Amino acid sequence: MPVMRGKLLTQAGIYISVAQSRFDKALTLLNSALAAHQSAADATKDTFEYAVTMHQVGKVRRYIGDYGAAETALRAALEMLTKLLEACGESATIGARCRRWKVEVEVAATLHELGLVKMRLRDLESSELFLTKSLALKRKIIAMYDGPPNQQHPAGITDLTHASDEEAPLADNDIRNTVMEGATLYQLGVVATLARPPRLDDAERMLREVLSREEHDYSAARSATLQQLGRVAVRRGRPGEAETLFEEALDGYKRTYKSDLHVNVSGVCHQLPLSQVHDQVPPVVQSLRNVSWHFLQIRRYSVAFLYPIWHDSCNHALSNRSTENHT
């Protein structure tokens, strides 16, 4: 059956890309999944599964640095999901609410992924827009569905005796972990750090909110948050705090990867000396950097404004000179 084949190929592609980082093989599997979905008869076509596969194609394209193709795939997925969301309506039946929940989670994930692509392209304004929309939707999902332990089913139903196979697996989900709210908040913190000029207060506030939710977690995600907070501390001229954060991040990475050779471990080792060097740099240097950035921006826009005038003037002068030579 084409739909089931497409779903299985998609799951295989996800595994190959995440667990083995074999992105060329993952793309082959995902493209085969798309073909399987396209070959399904109209009566059996599953647009949601097709959109999920398209999302994964975009994600793998981002992994390999093909950001243009990644954005194209993700926008196509988002368009399909948006139409599905509109078609779900506001029905209160268990099946309808479960379908709506699944689509909303996927829309939020696709918006998040588009935010990451735009960040890689250094389009920070668009990145922040996509990530903010993703975070708002994730928080809406959590507010609607994350009730007491005995009411965590997306439809608010505790008796699943008559639930279908599609609905039942959602009963035991931890909604907050499923939608990954913290991941989007973390990326918004990164965007605020990269902004010109940087919004370090916003970045630190968001990153500390993420960290507070990972207090007893020694995962790579917590270590990444600590590492990003260390970068913020360096930018703020707080080398002692930065060093403490980098060392805690390094410890977390080593616990996670059981090796000193992982790229994340080497990344923190590279940044640790920066916190010590920054201790010898006066705080005024950061202010001068910000002033320099503003000066460069003024120069950039001045050139953009004055160049056409200068160009037209030169052409006019050359034209007059040519006319004089001919006469």
Side-chain angles (χ1 to χ4, degrees), residues 73-124:
L74 290 165
R75 284 188 181 275
L78 184 61
E79 183 179 355
M80 287 184 277
L81 291 166
T82 302
K83 290 179 180 177
L84 283 173
L85 201 55
E86 292 170 355
C88 286
E90 299 296 336
S91 174
T93 64
I94 299 176
R97 293 197 68 186
C98 286
R99 283 191 296 274
R100 183 175 183 84
W101 179 83
K102 287 173 65 177
V103 176
E104 285 177 332
V105 169
E106 192 65 25
V107 168
T110 306
L111 288 167
H112 175 95
E113 195 64 32
L114 275 165
L116 296 186
V117 170
K118 287 297 188 182
M119 192 190 307
R120 299 299 184 275
L121 292 169
R122 284 297 186 265
D123 184 353
L124 298 182

Side-chain angles (χ1 to χ4, degrees), residues 76-306:
L78 184 61
E79 183 179 355
M80 287 184 277
L81 291 166
T82 302
K83 290 179 180 177
L84 283 173
L85 201 55
E86 292 170 355
C88 286
E90 299 296 336
S91 174
T93 64
I94 299 176
R97 293 197 68 186
C98 286
R99 283 191 296 274
R100 183 175 183 84
W101 179 83
K102 287 173 65 177
V103 176
E104 285 177 332
V105 169
E106 192 65 25
V107 168
T110 306
L111 288 167
H112 175 95
E113 195 64 32
L114 275 165
L116 296 186
V117 170
K118 287 297 188 182
M119 192 190 307
R120 299 299 184 275
L121 292 169
R122 284 297 186 265
D123 184 353
L124 298 182
E125 185 177 351
S126 296
S127 175
E128 189 166 24
L129 179 63
F130 281 122
L131 290 169
T132 301
K133 286 182 178 179
S134 175
L135 183 63
L137 182 54
K138 288 180 176 185
R139 286 178 168 171
K140 174 191 169 187
I141 295 167
I142 291 167
M144 288 179 65
Y145 301 130
D146 192 17
N150 64 338
Q151 294 180 348
Q152 285 187 355
H153 188 275
I157 302 298
T158 55
D159 180 10
L160 295 172
T161 307
H162 304 291
S164 68
D165 291 339
E166 182 187 43
E167 297 157 6
L170 300 178
D172 297 326
N173 271 354
D174 178 343
I175 305 298
R176 191 177 295 273
N177 288 338
T178 301
V179 299
M180 298 178 68
E181 176 194 12
T184 303
L185 195 58
Y186 167 86
Q187 295 297 345
L188 280 167
V190 174
V191 170
T193 308
L194 294 173
R196 292 291 183 270
R199 304 195 314 274
L200 298 179
D201 287 341
D202 291 342
E204 184 168 358
R205 173 181 54 78
M206 289 185 280
L207 291 167
R208 291 208 175 274
E209 183 179 345
V210 175
L211 195 64
S212 67
R213 300 175 185 182
E214 303 168 338
E215 187 175 357
H216 304 294
D217 183 13
Y218 289 97
S219 68
R222 174 179 168 80
S223 296
T225 306
L226 289 164
Q227 184 178 3
Q228 189 62 30
L229 275 168
R231 295 188 185 111
V232 172
V234 168
R235 301 286 292 275
R236 305 195 83 155
R238 302 199 300 239
E241 179 185 343
E243 187 171 357
T244 300
L245 288 164
F246 284 144
E247 287 177 348
E248 193 174 346
L250 184 61
D251 179 62
Y253 280 138
K254 287 181 176 179
R255 285 171 182 248
T256 301
Y257 300 119
K258 308 291 189 294
S259 170
D260 293 347
L261 301 178
H262 195 277
V263 64
N264 287 342
V265 175
S266 63
V268 180
C269 290
H270 170 72
Q271 287 173 323
L272 264 170
L274 295 179
S275 63
Q276 297 157 3
V277 170
H278 201 280
D279 195 19
Q280 303 169 19
V281 178
V284 72
V285 170
Q286 184 60 47
S287 297
L288 289 173
R289 286 173 180 166
N290 290 338
V291 170
S292 297
W293 182 85
H294 286 295
F295 173 77
L296 288 172
Q297 289 296 98
I298 292 169
R299 181 180 175 184
R300 173 188 169 192
Y301 288 112
S302 297
V303 170
F305 174 74
L306 293 173

